[in-house]
Amino acid sequence: MKSFTCAVIGLGAIHMNHVRAIQALPDCRLAAVCDIDEEKVQADVQMLGCAGYTDYRTMLEQEDIDVVHICTPHYLHAPMAIYALEHGCHVLVEKPMGMNSVETAAMIQAAERSGKQLGICFQNRYNPTVRRIRDLIDQGVLGRFLSSKTIVSWNRDASYYAQGAWRGTWAQEGGGVLINQAIHTMDLTQWLAGMPIDVQAQTSCFRLQGAIEVEDTAHGYFHYADGASGVFYLTNAFGADDPVELDLVFENATLRLKKDLSIQYVDGSEEHMDDQSLVSGAKGYWGNGHATLIRDYYACLDENRPFPIDGPEAAKIIKILDAIYRSAATGNRISI
Ligand SMILES: NC(=O)c1ccc[n+]([C@@H]2O[C@H](COP(=O)([O-])OP(=O)(O)OC[C@H]3O[C@@H](n4cnc5c(N)ncnc54)[C@H](O)[C@@H]3O)[C@@H](O)[C@H]2O)c1
């Protein structure tokens, strides 16, 4: 394997998932970290033995970095990714890729201009149960897609939003449950069921009305080609973090994913797969695919093949979310 020098920008809640994954790869060296919070930088410098910066531009000027991991608030993903690509780095950015389709288009163009690889962190695509579904679809076993049901019911209370000034704001988070929490399961819906033709949706803020600007709940209806349909219900206003649910009805089988995967085929046969990959306890519902995704990203860089969750791929769900937000704002059915 080629060797890579790596940097992480944004040293908050998620960044250690990236650091641990980099450390587990023998040919990767974490050269530098960056955060505007000097204390976080110093803590990581002590713990990880790397260089530390409070300005990512200075870091990219002074260090010879091959790959930048972006773990900052949503409004910084596009400018930081574009800057790093223009400075000759590969970029792996946390979800969401950007806050809207204007940002994702600019990021795709920057990646194309640079010839570097832009990857986006949708780690749940690597869960074994999800891969099983994808394989069955690719093998043509399931027949025509007919209907989907996506449910996310998580708990994000006032203490969660108090963890960062960017959370709960349109300008810096870009939305609420849709663009932050449910984006993973909505991305899986898109990846497995395909792009809908249009959407009708409503959003609300029930639980923290007045305290946050963004929606804590969204529900809606997708029309797909050939008369297929999809429903979704997504909320941060539940009192606990339930495993996400995704039901997919195909001509030849109905698949139910709620942590484990159950498949009922129309011929009467059944298949069940436990998901051993979902760690229990705090944040287990994130899935633990970060390590697998990051390993695959570096393998793609090493072998010069395209990383599968690239800009155009990750921009699809942003296009869908743009349409959902527009439908909620106008009351109209919005074409995607
Ligand atoms: N894939 C997942 O399952 C998953 C889980 C959690 C978070 N995330 C994503 O990771 C990203 C970060 O989330 P988080 O929960 O770690 O947020 P966080 O608020 O805990 O951390 C963000 C960090 O970015 C730093 N930062 C802000 N502006 C900066 C700048 N200009 N330069 C450098 N650093 C800056 C902040 O000081 C903070 O330390 C978000 O995009 C979030 O949606 C993904």
Side-chain angles (χ1 to χ4, degrees), residues 13-25 30 48 291 294:
I14 199 63
H15 89 285
M16 281 307 292
N17 292 50
H18 289 255
V19 167
R20 280 193 295 266
I22 292 167
Q23 287 175 326
L25 293 169
L30 180 66
L48 305 169
I294 291 169

Side-chain angles (χ1 to χ4, degrees), residues 9-14 34-37 40 71-74 76-77 80 94-96 121 123 166-167 180 184 286 290:
I9 311 177
L11 308 179
I14 199 63
C34 172
D35 200 291
I36 46 171
D37 182 334
K40 287 184 179 175
C71 302
T72 49
H74 301 171
L76 295 167
H77 291 187
M80 287 180 166
E94 261 299 346
K95 58 66 165 167
C121 208
Q123 76 274 7
W166 63 279
R167 297 184 194 277
N180 196 334
H184 285 294
W286 283 356
H290 269 95

Side-chain angles (χ1 to χ4, degrees), residues 74 99 154 156 160-161 167-171 173-183 186 201-219 232-237 321-322 324-326 328-329:
H74 301 171
M99 296 209 298
W154 285 2
R156 294 293 180 275
Y160 168 84
Y161 286 98
R167 297 184 194 277
T169 66
W170 282 109
E173 189 173 6
V177 66
L178 273 162
I179 203 160
N180 196 334
Q181 288 77 26
I183 192 170
M186 293 294 269
Q202 293 178 347
T203 58
S204 319
C205 184
F206 291 120
R207 189 187 197 179
L208 295 169
Q209 221 169 51
I212 60 171
E213 296 170 5
V214 297
E215 83 289 349
D216 66 14
T217 303
H219 66 107
F232 57 90
Y233 177 75
L234 319 163
T235 187
N236 276 341
L321 297 190
D322 279 356
I324 293 175
Y325 282 122
R326 203 137 56 83

Side-chain angles (χ1 to χ4, degrees), residues 77-78 81-82 85 93 97-98 103-112 118:
H77 291 187
I82 291 169
L85 287 162
V93 63
M97 178 178 167
E103 290 191 355
T104 56
M107 294 165 84
I108 290 168
Q109 283 170 13
E112 283 170 358
L118 172 64

